[in-house]
Amino acid sequence: YQRRVHGKCNGTIASNAALVGVLNGATLQPPIDVVVCPTALHIDSVRAQLKHEGISVGAQNCVVKSGAFTGEMSAEQVADFGLKWVILGHSERRHVFGETNEVVGQKVAAAIAAGLTVIACVGETLDEREAGRTMDVCIEHLKAVADNCSDWKKVVVAYEPVWAIGTGKTATPAQAEEVHAGIRDWLGKNVSPEVAAETRIVYGGSVTEKNAAELYGQPNVNGFLVGGASLKPAFLDICAAANKCK
């Protein structure tokens, strides 16, 4: 069972310290897996303060290689820093910074080669959903990951409908399950039945402590990629949803 959290471009030293204090006191029942991904500036301080053995620290992004890429950090550098996780292909990286499927695929290959586990994001915009292209878009994103994946044990797929991120709108449990089931079906037919069965598919899009349990109760929803709610103590209530389902 999975729980993921990332802080977007949010947080200060003081607010992070307060949240880490809450996390350190959390009671998490295995096999819940929690990863916090603060901004690059805050990774070191969060990791130093985080004492909970059941919570890891990851990065929000990386580039393929070290070199003349001012302002970036490479997959090798993330691994060298002692981190095990990285989020790649987030919708904001795609739509704000123009990352293509090709770029995301290259990053996935580099991250896995560096020994990182990738949280690979897929998901459609509102226009794409209304045009009936939800699965087409998600599969296009997923195929770029599959074409560059050398080890599926190093990949968690995160379905994040762009129209539900930070908007207060959430995919219904049925909508989330439909896409998650479609992703698993594609993996089974195009990668292998084993990969389809074992790959964790998490949901991201205005997840809160109020809707987590119902979403997590869906057969193919294996956890969450949490944005805004991860900055609040109620995040632990989202983690606790795993103890009530499945």
Side-chain angles (χ1 to χ4, degrees):
Y1 303 146
Q2 301 297 310
R3 285 294 175 276
R4 298 278 175 266
V5 49
H6 68 118
K8 298 182 180 285
C9 188
N10 291 310
T12 63
I13 291 175
S15 66
N16 286 341
L19 183 58
V20 169
V22 173
L23 294 176
N24 281 336
T27 300
L28 301 174
Q29 297 181 15
I32 295 176
D33 188 4
V34 180
V35 182
V36 295
C37 298
T39 70
L41 279 174
H42 297 125
I43 288 173
D44 195 41
S45 62
V46 168
R47 186 173 60 172
Q49 296 172 68
L50 189 58
K51 307 301 181 183
H52 200 301
E53 293 183 355
I55 304 177
S56 302
V57 179
Q60 294 184 11
N61 183 45
C62 70
V63 294
V64 173
K65 60 182 179 180
S66 300
F69 306 105
T70 302
E72 299 287 357
M73 55 187 184
S74 70
E76 287 185 351
Q77 289 173 320
V78 172
D80 180 64
F81 200 62
L83 304 183
K84 304 296 184 184
W85 295 85
V86 63
I87 300 171
L88 294 177
H90 192 279
S91 62
E92 288 152 13
R93 298 300 311 179
R94 295 176 185 272
H95 298 290
V96 178
F97 296 97
E99 291 187 6
T100 64
N101 286 332
E102 181 181 8
V103 168
V104 174
Q106 292 170 351
K107 289 185 174 188
V108 168
I112 294 175
L116 300 172
T117 297
V118 174
I119 302 168
C121 301
V122 305
E124 81 286 4
T125 64
L126 181 60
D127 287 346
E128 289 165 340
R129 170 166 280 273
E130 291 179 343
R133 297 195 64 244
T134 293
M135 286 313 305
D136 290 341
V137 172
C138 289
I139 296 310
E140 287 170 6
H141 292 172
L142 186 61
K143 187 176 186 304
V145 175
D147 288 347
N148 290 277
C149 180
S150 57
D151 183 358
W152 277 96
K153 295 185 184 302
K154 291 288 190 178
V155 174
V156 172
V157 177
Y159 168 55
E160 45 155 16
V162 181
W163 49 273
I165 298 174
T167 62
K169 298 179 180 178
T170 308
T172 65
Q175 287 174 321
E177 171 62 18
E178 180 181 19
V179 177
H180 283 229
I183 289 171
R184 203 175 301 282
D185 180 66
W186 187 90
L187 289 173
K189 293 176 179 177
N190 294 275
V191 182
S192 76
E194 292 76 20
V195 165
E198 296 174 4
T199 297
R200 295 162 291 185
I201 307 172
V202 302
Y203 170 79
S206 295
V207 177
T208 70
E209 71 277 12
K210 296 179 181 178
N211 59 27
E214 188 176 8
L215 284 163
Y216 192 65
Q218 302 304 304
N220 288 290
V221 176
N222 306 128
F224 304 115
L225 181 66
V226 185
S230 70
L231 303 172
K232 305 172 184 177
F235 170 67
L236 292 181
D237 295 327
I238 297 176
C239 295
N243 298 329
K244 302 176 183 178
C245 306
K246 301 179 181 173

